[in-house]
Protein backbone atom coordinates (compact mmCIF):
# COMPACT_ATOMS: atom_id res chain seq x y z
CA UNK A 1 0.00 0.00 0.00
CA UNK A 2 1.21 3.51 -0.76
CA UNK A 3 0.30 4.72 2.72
CA UNK A 4 2.96 2.52 4.35
CA UNK A 5 6.25 3.01 2.45
CA UNK A 6 9.19 3.36 4.82
CA UNK A 7 12.65 4.43 3.71
CA UNK A 8 15.73 5.98 5.28
CA UNK A 9 17.27 6.70 1.89
CA UNK A 10 14.71 8.75 -0.02
CA UNK A 11 12.38 11.62 0.82
CA UNK A 12 8.79 10.77 -0.09
CA UNK A 13 8.00 14.39 -0.86
CA UNK A 14 10.48 14.97 -3.68
CA UNK A 15 11.99 11.50 -4.29
CA UNK A 16 15.31 13.28 -4.82
CA UNK A 17 17.01 13.83 -1.45
CA UNK A 18 17.86 11.93 1.69
CA UNK A 19 15.13 12.42 4.31
CA UNK A 20 16.05 14.40 7.40
CA UNK A 21 13.26 13.47 9.79
CA UNK A 22 10.62 10.79 10.17
CA UNK A 23 7.09 11.67 11.21
CA UNK A 24 5.14 9.61 13.76
CA UNK A 25 3.39 7.86 10.85
CA UNK A 26 6.91 6.65 9.82
CA UNK A 27 7.03 8.56 6.53
CA UNK A 28 10.27 10.49 6.02
CA UNK A 29 10.87 13.88 4.40
CA UNK A 30 13.77 16.23 3.75
CA UNK A 31 13.94 19.74 5.21
CA UNK A 32 13.06 21.39 1.89
CA UNK A 33 9.83 19.41 1.68
CA UNK A 34 9.00 20.29 5.28
CA UNK A 35 9.45 23.92 4.28
CA UNK A 36 7.21 23.49 1.22
CA UNK A 37 4.41 21.53 2.90
CA UNK A 38 4.66 22.90 6.45
CA UNK A 39 2.98 25.97 7.90
CA UNK A 40 5.37 28.79 8.70
CA UNK A 41 5.32 30.04 12.30
CA UNK A 42 4.26 33.66 12.60
CA UNK A 43 7.17 34.79 14.77
CA UNK A 44 9.85 32.45 13.37
CA UNK A 45 10.34 32.62 9.63
CA UNK A 46 12.31 29.39 9.37
CA UNK A 47 10.31 27.27 11.79
CA UNK A 48 7.45 25.25 10.35
CA UNK A 49 4.51 23.48 11.95
CA UNK A 50 3.89 20.06 10.43
CA UNK A 51 0.15 19.50 10.64
CA UNK A 52 -0.32 16.63 8.21
CA UNK A 53 1.58 13.92 6.37
CA UNK A 54 1.28 14.44 2.62
CA UNK A 55 1.47 10.68 1.99
CA UNK A 56 -1.07 9.16 4.38
CA UNK A 57 -2.76 12.41 5.54
CA UNK A 58 -2.23 11.57 9.21
CA UNK A 59 -2.77 14.63 11.40
CA UNK A 60 -0.22 15.85 13.96
CA UNK A 61 -0.09 18.39 16.73
CA UNK A 62 2.98 20.12 18.11
CA UNK A 63 5.57 18.98 15.55
CA UNK A 64 7.97 21.75 14.56
CA UNK A 65 10.83 21.63 12.09
CA UNK A 66 13.57 24.26 12.19
CA UNK A 67 15.30 25.06 8.90
CA UNK A 68 18.78 26.56 8.76
CA UNK A 69 18.34 30.30 8.12
CA UNK A 70 20.00 31.07 4.75
CA UNK A 71 21.62 34.29 5.97
CA UNK A 72 22.82 32.89 9.30
CA UNK A 73 26.20 31.27 9.75
CA UNK A 74 26.38 27.91 11.46
CA UNK A 75 27.45 27.52 15.09
CA UNK A 76 29.01 24.25 16.19
CA UNK A 77 29.82 22.80 19.61
CA UNK A 78 32.44 20.06 19.92
CA UNK A 79 33.22 18.38 23.24
CA UNK A 80 36.30 16.22 23.86
CA UNK A 81 36.39 12.99 25.80
CA UNK A 82 37.45 13.12 29.43
CA UNK A 83 35.60 10.71 31.69
CA UNK A 84 34.00 12.21 34.77
CA UNK A 85 35.76 15.49 33.95
CA UNK A 86 32.72 16.11 31.79
CA UNK A 87 31.48 18.02 34.84
CA UNK A 88 33.98 20.74 33.91
CA UNK A 89 32.42 21.03 30.44
CA UNK A 90 28.94 21.42 31.90
CA UNK A 91 30.09 24.09 34.35
CA UNK A 92 31.78 25.94 31.47
CA UNK A 93 28.52 25.85 29.51
CA UNK A 94 26.59 27.12 32.54
CA UNK A 95 28.94 30.10 32.77
CA UNK A 96 28.76 30.73 29.02
CA UNK A 97 24.97 30.67 29.15
CA UNK A 98 24.94 33.10 32.08
CA UNK A 99 27.37 35.48 30.36
CA UNK A 100 25.40 35.61 27.11
CA UNK A 101 22.11 35.97 28.99
CA UNK A 102 23.52 38.99 30.84
CA UNK A 103 24.57 40.59 27.56
CA UNK A 104 21.21 40.17 25.81
CA UNK A 105 19.17 40.83 28.94
CA UNK A 106 17.10 37.64 28.82
CA UNK A 107 17.84 34.03 29.74
CA UNK A 108 18.55 31.95 26.65
CA UNK A 109 18.80 28.19 27.25
CA UNK A 110 21.99 27.03 25.59
CA UNK A 111 20.39 23.80 24.39
CA UNK A 112 17.74 25.69 22.41
CA UNK A 113 19.24 28.82 20.88
CA UNK A 114 23.00 28.56 20.47
CA UNK A 115 24.18 25.69 18.28
CA UNK A 116 23.18 24.18 14.95
CA UNK A 117 25.31 21.08 15.46
CA UNK A 118 26.91 19.37 18.45
CA UNK A 119 29.43 16.54 18.30
CA UNK A 120 31.01 14.77 21.25
CA UNK A 121 32.98 11.71 22.19
CA UNK A 122 33.27 9.45 25.21
CA UNK A 123 31.52 10.78 28.34
CA UNK A 124 31.10 14.14 26.66
CA UNK A 125 29.24 12.46 23.87
CA UNK A 126 26.71 11.81 26.64
CA UNK A 127 26.69 15.56 27.31
CA UNK A 128 25.76 16.25 23.68
CA UNK A 129 22.99 13.65 23.87
CA UNK A 130 21.61 15.00 27.13
CA UNK A 131 21.53 18.63 26.07
CA UNK A 132 20.42 18.36 22.47
CA UNK A 133 18.70 15.00 22.03
CA UNK A 134 16.93 15.02 25.38
CA UNK A 135 16.61 18.81 25.59
CA UNK A 136 17.71 19.02 29.23
CA UNK A 137 18.95 22.32 30.61
CA UNK A 138 22.64 22.50 31.50
CA UNK A 139 21.86 22.68 35.22
CA UNK A 140 19.55 19.67 35.03
CA UNK A 141 22.07 17.64 33.03
CA UNK A 142 24.83 18.49 35.51
CA UNK A 143 22.77 16.91 38.29
CA UNK A 144 21.89 13.95 36.06
CA UNK A 145 25.50 13.51 34.94
CA UNK A 146 26.81 13.26 38.49
CA UNK A 147 24.09 10.73 39.32
CA UNK A 148 24.77 8.74 36.15
CA UNK A 149 28.52 8.46 36.76
CA UNK A 150 27.98 7.35 40.35
CA UNK A 151 25.61 4.63 39.18
CA UNK A 152 27.67 3.52 36.18
CA UNK A 153 30.99 3.26 38.03
CA UNK A 154 29.76 0.38 40.14
CA UNK A 155 32.06 -2.53 40.83
CA UNK A 156 30.88 -6.09 40.78
CA UNK A 157 29.94 -7.62 44.13
CA UNK A 158 32.34 -10.17 45.60
CA UNK A 159 32.27 -12.32 48.73
CA UNK A 160 33.44 -10.86 52.02
CA UNK A 161 37.00 -11.95 52.68
CA UNK A 162 40.46 -10.64 53.46
CA UNK A 163 41.16 -7.32 51.66
CA UNK A 164 44.05 -8.75 49.67
CA UNK A 165 41.93 -11.71 48.58
CA UNK A 166 39.05 -9.41 47.63
CA UNK A 167 41.45 -7.43 45.47
CA UNK A 168 42.64 -10.59 43.71
CA UNK A 169 39.06 -11.73 43.08
CA UNK A 170 38.19 -8.28 41.78
CA UNK A 171 41.07 -8.33 39.30
CA UNK A 172 40.19 -11.83 38.14
CA UNK A 173 36.56 -10.86 37.55
CA UNK A 174 37.62 -7.71 35.70
CA UNK A 175 40.02 -9.68 33.51
CA UNK A 176 37.35 -12.27 32.66
CA UNK A 177 34.74 -9.61 31.85
CA UNK A 178 37.21 -7.26 30.10
CA UNK A 179 36.09 -4.37 32.31
CA UNK A 180 36.46 -3.08 35.85
CA UNK A 181 32.86 -2.04 36.18
CA UNK A 182 29.66 -3.98 35.73
CA UNK A 183 27.95 -3.94 32.33
CA UNK A 184 24.65 -4.02 34.21
CA UNK A 185 25.62 -0.81 35.99
CA UNK A 186 26.25 1.27 32.87
CA UNK A 187 23.24 -0.21 31.06
CA UNK A 188 20.88 0.52 33.94
CA UNK A 189 22.28 4.03 34.36
CA UNK A 190 21.95 4.91 30.67
CA UNK A 191 18.47 3.42 30.33
CA UNK A 192 17.25 5.24 33.41
CA UNK A 193 18.76 8.53 32.24
CA UNK A 194 17.81 8.43 28.55
CA UNK A 195 14.94 5.95 28.52
CA UNK A 196 15.16 2.44 27.12
CA UNK A 197 13.01 3.11 24.03
CA UNK A 198 14.03 6.59 22.91
CA UNK A 199 15.56 6.53 19.41
CA UNK A 200 18.50 8.61 18.22
CA UNK A 201 16.17 10.18 15.66
CA UNK A 202 13.78 11.47 18.36
CA UNK A 203 14.90 15.10 18.18
CA UNK A 204 11.44 16.41 19.11
CA UNK A 205 11.48 20.14 18.37
CA UNK A 206 15.18 20.66 18.97
CA UNK A 207 16.96 22.28 16.04
CA UNK A 208 20.46 21.03 16.90
CA UNK A 209 21.85 18.09 14.98
CA UNK A 210 23.84 15.69 17.17
CA UNK A 211 26.71 13.35 16.33
CA UNK A 212 28.79 11.19 18.65
CA UNK A 213 31.84 9.12 17.84
CA UNK A 214 32.73 5.51 18.60
CA UNK A 215 35.42 3.02 17.60
CA UNK A 216 34.86 -0.50 16.29
CA UNK A 217 36.83 -3.49 17.56
CA UNK A 218 38.81 -3.26 14.29
CA UNK A 219 39.87 0.28 15.28
CA UNK A 220 37.67 1.80 12.60
CA UNK A 221 35.99 5.13 13.42
CA UNK A 222 32.22 5.44 13.42
CA UNK A 223 29.80 8.33 13.92
CA UNK A 224 26.27 7.89 15.31
CA UNK A 225 23.96 10.72 14.25
CA UNK A 226 20.57 12.08 15.23
CA UNK A 227 20.09 13.32 11.66
CA UNK A 228 19.56 11.26 8.56
CA UNK A 229 20.48 13.80 5.89
CA UNK A 230 23.76 14.22 4.09
CA UNK A 231 23.72 11.49 1.48
CA UNK A 232 26.55 9.00 1.20
CA UNK A 233 29.94 10.07 2.56
CA UNK A 234 33.04 9.83 0.34
CA UNK A 235 34.96 6.60 0.71
CA UNK A 236 38.06 8.52 1.78
CA UNK A 237 36.36 10.45 4.60
CA UNK A 238 37.93 8.09 7.14
CA UNK A 239 34.82 7.04 9.06
CA UNK A 240 31.42 5.44 8.66
CA UNK A 241 28.07 6.95 9.60
CA UNK A 242 25.31 5.07 11.40
CA UNK A 243 22.08 6.82 10.50
CA UNK A 244 19.31 6.79 13.11
CA UNK A 245 16.74 5.20 10.78
CA UNK A 246 18.94 2.40 9.47
CA UNK A 247 18.93 0.25 12.60
CA UNK A 248 16.66 2.05 15.04
CA UNK A 249 19.57 2.86 17.37
CA UNK A 250 18.47 3.84 20.86
CA UNK A 251 20.02 6.84 22.61
CA UNK A 252 21.26 4.69 25.50
CA UNK A 253 22.91 2.26 23.05
CA UNK A 254 24.78 5.05 21.28
CA UNK A 255 25.74 6.46 24.67
CA UNK A 256 27.23 3.13 25.73
CA UNK A 257 29.14 2.83 22.45
CA UNK A 258 30.78 6.24 22.74
CA UNK A 259 31.71 5.87 26.42
CA UNK A 260 32.85 2.22 26.57
CA UNK A 261 36.43 3.01 27.57
CA UNK A 262 38.55 -0.18 27.47
CA UNK A 263 39.18 -1.81 30.84
CA UNK A 264 36.60 0.45 32.48
CA UNK A 265 33.49 -0.72 30.62
CA UNK A 266 32.85 -3.64 28.31
CA UNK A 267 32.27 -2.80 24.63
CA UNK A 268 28.71 -2.61 23.32
CA UNK A 269 27.57 -4.97 20.59
CA UNK A 270 24.82 -3.82 18.22
CA UNK A 271 23.17 -6.49 16.11
CA UNK A 272 24.05 -6.11 12.45
CA UNK A 273 26.57 -3.33 13.09
CA UNK A 274 29.34 -4.79 15.22
CA UNK A 275 30.99 -4.08 18.56
CA UNK A 276 31.98 -0.59 19.65
CA UNK A 277 34.45 0.99 22.07
CA UNK A 278 35.00 4.52 23.36
CA UNK A 279 35.20 7.11 20.58
CA UNK A 280 38.23 8.69 22.23
CA UNK A 281 40.37 5.74 21.12
CA UNK A 282 40.17 7.07 17.60
CA UNK A 283 39.92 10.83 17.97
CA UNK A 284 39.45 12.34 21.39
CA UNK A 285 38.85 15.79 19.92
CA UNK A 286 36.00 15.42 17.38
CA UNK A 287 36.27 18.95 15.94
CA UNK A 288 37.68 17.84 12.59
CA UNK A 289 34.87 15.29 12.24
CA UNK A 290 32.28 17.97 12.90
CA UNK A 291 33.85 20.23 10.29
CA UNK A 292 33.88 17.36 7.81
CA UNK A 293 30.28 16.40 8.56
CA UNK A 294 28.75 19.87 8.34
CA UNK A 295 28.98 20.33 4.53
CA UNK A 296 27.25 16.97 4.08
CA UNK A 297 24.54 17.82 6.58
CA UNK A 298 23.83 21.34 5.34
CA UNK A 299 25.61 21.84 1.99
CA UNK A 300 24.14 25.30 1.35
CA UNK A 301 25.17 26.84 4.68
CA UNK A 302 28.90 27.23 4.04
CA UNK A 303 31.56 26.82 6.69
CA UNK A 304 30.56 27.38 10.33
CA UNK A 305 30.98 30.94 11.58
CA UNK A 306 31.68 29.71 15.10
CA UNK A 307 33.17 26.48 16.44
CA UNK A 308 33.36 26.14 20.23
CA UNK A 309 35.61 23.28 21.34
CA UNK A 310 35.56 22.30 25.02
Amino acid sequence: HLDKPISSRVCFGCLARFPDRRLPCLHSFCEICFEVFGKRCNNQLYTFHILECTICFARFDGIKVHIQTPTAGARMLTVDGGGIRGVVTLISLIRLQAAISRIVGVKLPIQEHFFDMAIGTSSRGLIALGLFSQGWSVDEWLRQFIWLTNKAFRRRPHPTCLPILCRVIDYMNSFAADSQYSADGIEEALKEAFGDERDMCARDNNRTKVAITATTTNSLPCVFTSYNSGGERPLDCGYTVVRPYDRGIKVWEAGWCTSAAPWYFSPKRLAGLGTFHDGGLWQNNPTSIGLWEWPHVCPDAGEPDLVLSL
Side-chain angles (χ1 to χ4, degrees):
H1 296 286
L2 290 178
D3 63 336
K4 293 299 180 184
I6 298 175
S7 174
S8 63
R9 299 287 170 170
V10 63
C11 165
F12 288 123
C14 61
L15 301 179
R17 305 176 186 86
F18 265 70
D20 180 67
R21 292 185 61 168
R22 180 176 290 171
L23 296 176
C25 61
L26 302 184
H27 294 131
S28 305
F29 298 89
C30 66
E31 287 189 344
I32 293 178
C33 286
F34 280 129
E35 183 176 359
V36 171
F37 298 115
K39 181 180 179 181
R40 192 185 302 270
C41 294
N42 293 331
N43 58 343
Q44 295 176 305
L45 291 179
Y46 292 94
T47 299
F48 297 86
H49 286 289
I50 308 302
L51 305 176
E52 183 181 71
C53 174
T54 58
I55 301 297
C56 65
F57 305 108
R59 302 285 296 180
F60 310 114
D61 182 32
I63 296 180
K64 293 181 181 179
V65 174
H66 303 274
I67 308 299
Q68 179 72 22
T69 305
T71 56
R75 300 176 299 276
M76 182 183 299
L77 172 67
T78 71
V79 280
D80 305 352
I84 60 173
R85 291 191 298 275
V87 170
V88 177
T89 299
L90 288 168
I91 293 175
S92 299
L93 290 173
I94 289 174
R95 293 182 176 178
L96 174 65
Q97 177 179 269
I100 295 178
S101 297
R102 282 196 302 270
I103 293 172
V104 300
V106 62
K107 185 174 182 179
L108 296 176
I110 202 167
Q111 75 277 9
E112 296 179 12
H113 299 283
F114 284 77
F115 299 105
D116 301 293
M117 182 174 181
I119 181 168
T121 192
S122 192
S123 66
R124 301 184 191 185
L126 300 180
I127 291 176
L129 291 174
L131 292 177
F132 303 107
S133 288
Q134 302 292 112
W136 293 327
S137 69
V138 190
D139 299 273
E140 180 183 3
W141 189 208
L142 177 59
R143 293 190 295 270
Q144 287 266 31
F145 187 80
I146 294 172
W147 169 87
L148 188 149
T149 53
N150 286 332
K151 189 174 181 67
F153 284 91
R154 186 178 68 190
R155 291 190 179 276
R156 299 175 183 83
H158 48 67
T160 303
C161 53
L162 294 174
I164 184 65
L165 185 56
C166 289
R167 181 65 63 87
V168 171
I169 293 174
D170 198 24
Y171 274 119
M172 291 177 63
N173 287 337
S174 298
F175 182 80
D178 196 25
S179 63
Q180 291 187 53
Y181 300 99
S182 167
D184 292 337
I186 187 173
E187 180 173 342
E188 290 173 10
L190 290 171
K191 282 184 175 180
E192 191 168 340
F194 294 106
D196 58 355
E197 292 298 327
R198 185 174 178 84
D199 293 325
M200 278 291 289
C201 59
R203 285 157 51 193
D204 297 332
N205 293 326
N206 198 304
R207 64 194 295 269
T208 306
K209 294 176 170 62
V210 180
I212 59 173
T213 67
T215 308
T216 70
T217 51
N218 297 325
S219 299
L220 299 176
C222 180
V223 177
F224 292 86
T225 68
S226 70
Y227 50 87
N228 195 63
S229 55
E232 299 294 348
R233 305 301 188 270
L235 295 177
D236 62 349
C237 73
Y239 60 92
T240 59
V241 175
V242 178
R243 302 174 188 275
Y245 299 147
D246 287 347
R247 300 285 180 176
I249 303 299
K250 307 301 181 186
V251 174
W252 73 267
E253 292 177 320
W256 187 342
C257 290
T258 192
S259 57
W263 186 239
Y264 289 96
F265 297 110
S266 58
K268 176 60 178 172
R269 176 169 178 76
L270 298 177
L273 291 175
T275 303
F276 298 90
H277 292 278
D278 191 302
L281 295 175
W282 160 51
Q283 194 166 37
N284 202 46
N285 183 341
T287 301
S288 61
I289 304 305
L291 293 174
W292 186 278
E293 270 290 280
W294 180 250
H296 299 290
V297 175
C298 198
D300 299 326
E303 294 184 355
D305 283 357
L306 170 68
V307 177
L308 175 61
S309 178
L310 296 175

